[in-house]
Amino acid sequence: MSFHEKPVTFVKDVNIKVQNLERSLQYYQEVIGLKILEQSAKSAELTADGKTCILSIEQPENAKPKQRGTTGLYHFALLVPRRSDLANVVNHFIEKGIRIGSSDHLVSEALYLNDPDGNGIEIYVDRDPSEWEWKNNEVAMTVDPLDFTDLLKTADSEEPWDGLPEGTVMGHIHLHVSQLEKAEEFYTKGLGFEVVNRFGDQALFISTGNYHHHIGLNMWAGAGAPAPSLESSGLESYTIILPDEEYRKNVVTRLERIGAYVKEEGGGIITSDPSGNIIHLEV
């Protein structure tokens, strides 16, 4: 099954704020390998397949550097379809002289880097779900070294780099939150996600449809971390796709029941988690 199609609830796209739109567009095209879908004077939508926006970028008035020690974006994660695609990304980064982090998470193999504003980016490929290890409704994940030698054996050495492949989607988002207990209540009792992995009392990972995680939540910015200013680079909002309108109505009811912020705007629903991370709820 696909973990990023209905009836699964999943993250569709992410909207980030940057200090300089042109600088960011150059980076996301030349380094990350996305393409411009639409562009205005202060914003742009980026795509992998030429049809679907998976990342939006905007430059606020009086844009400021990303604030440390605040809630918001830890990283967004672009999921490529095949292991060879990730190997091609590695070779591209080597050619461009891009420094990266990396990890083998058992469920996936991942690369990490930051854009010019310090917005965290993960590019990863999933292992086959049959290889994921589940115990007591939790999936085993770890942070092991990535075997680059084995990975690069799968690269398409004959093909020139042409950006991220068409099947690339927004795989997940990982957020800084101020209080993990309140975040868990919002995302599980409100939005209907299930906890699939706990990292002590500092982080947890949630999903639907038995995915390893659609959303990560951590307190690594510090307990009680404040929300960043509106002008700060970082997360503006992200979009979650719900199965259908009836499900969304039930989500709104549950969110209101736990005292969460919910607002109807332009035919859509906007909410925010207890740490101020803004979410668009679409069907």
Side-chain angles (χ1 to χ4, degrees):
M1 68 171 290
S2 172
F3 298 104
H4 300 87
E5 294 179 1
K6 296 178 181 180
V8 174
T9 297
F10 61 95
V11 177
K12 176 194 171 192
D13 57 66
V14 173
N15 187 359
I16 60 171
K17 295 178 286 187
V18 300
Q19 289 183 272
N20 185 301
L21 182 65
E22 290 304 319
R23 178 183 67 177
S24 293
L25 287 179
Q26 181 178 5
Y27 176 85
Y28 279 100
Q29 291 177 92
E30 296 181 5
V31 176
I32 302 302
L34 292 171
K35 303 173 180 66
I36 296 175
L37 185 63
E38 292 186 13
Q39 182 179 354
S40 65
K42 293 294 182 180
S43 66
E45 294 183 353
L46 301 180
T47 181
D49 64 6
K51 299 175 289 186
T52 308
C53 172
I54 59 174
L55 180 69
S56 298
I57 301 175
E58 64 179 62
Q59 179 183 327
E61 291 294 327
N62 304 312
K64 296 178 180 178
K66 187 175 175 68
Q67 289 179 263
R68 295 182 179 274
T70 60
T71 60
L73 185 69
Y74 181 53
H75 65 243
F76 62 82
L78 300 169
L79 172 62
V80 295
R82 297 167 295 272
R83 197 164 185 245
S84 59
D85 297 323
L86 192 68
N88 294 341
V89 172
V90 172
N91 280 331
H92 166 63
F93 287 164
I94 292 171
E95 186 176 325
K96 298 281 289 184
I98 304 298
R99 298 185 65 178
I100 58 172
S102 63
S103 189
D104 184 331
H105 294 303
L106 297 182
V107 294
S108 63
E109 295 172 288
L111 311 175
Y112 295 94
L113 65 167
N114 292 323
D115 76 3
D117 290 276
N119 293 307
I121 306 166
E122 176 182 347
I123 303 175
Y124 74 109
V125 65
D126 280 334
R127 284 201 167 88
D128 191 281
S130 64
E131 299 180 44
W132 304 351
E133 295 183 10
W134 291 84
K135 185 177 180 180
N136 298 327
N137 296 319
E138 289 201 14
V139 65
M141 293 194 288
T142 188
V143 185
D144 290 337
L146 183 63
D147 187 343
F148 280 99
T149 301
D150 187 63
L151 174 64
L152 290 174
K153 291 177 183 176
T154 68
D156 298 327
S157 57
E158 303 297 321
E159 294 293 325
W161 169 256
D162 191 33
L164 292 176
E166 288 188 3
T168 301
V169 298
M170 185 62 67
H172 64 264
I173 190 170
H174 196 153
L175 302 168
H176 290 297
V177 297
S178 58
Q179 291 183 309
L180 207 57
E181 187 175 337
K182 286 188 176 181
E184 181 175 345
E185 178 187 46
F186 173 87
Y187 283 98
T188 58
K189 293 182 180 179
L191 293 182
F193 287 93
E194 297 178 348
V195 176
V196 290
N197 184 278
R198 293 184 187 273
F199 191 78
D201 60 357
Q202 288 295 304
L204 57 85
F205 300 88
I206 60 177
S207 75
T208 64
N210 290 326
Y211 191 50
H212 55 73
H213 67 293
H214 290 106
I215 301 174
L217 305 164
N218 74 66
M219 294 219 310
W220 300 330
S229 71
L230 294 177
E231 296 82 15
S232 170
S233 297
L235 181 68
E236 193 282 328
S237 63
Y238 70 100
T239 300
I240 290 175
I241 298 296
L242 303 172
D244 53 48
E245 188 59 47
E246 187 64 27
Y247 191 96
R248 183 164 68 169
K249 289 178 181 178
N250 291 333
V251 164
V252 169
T253 299
R254 295 198 302 267
L255 289 172
E256 291 175 339
R257 189 177 298 142
I258 63 174
Y261 170 85
V262 184
K263 179 183 179 182
E264 184 173 350
E265 186 174 285
I269 303 293
I270 299 174
T271 185
S272 64
D273 71 15
S275 300
N277 297 306
I278 299 171
I279 308 160
H280 296 264
L281 302 177
E282 296 184 0
V283 295

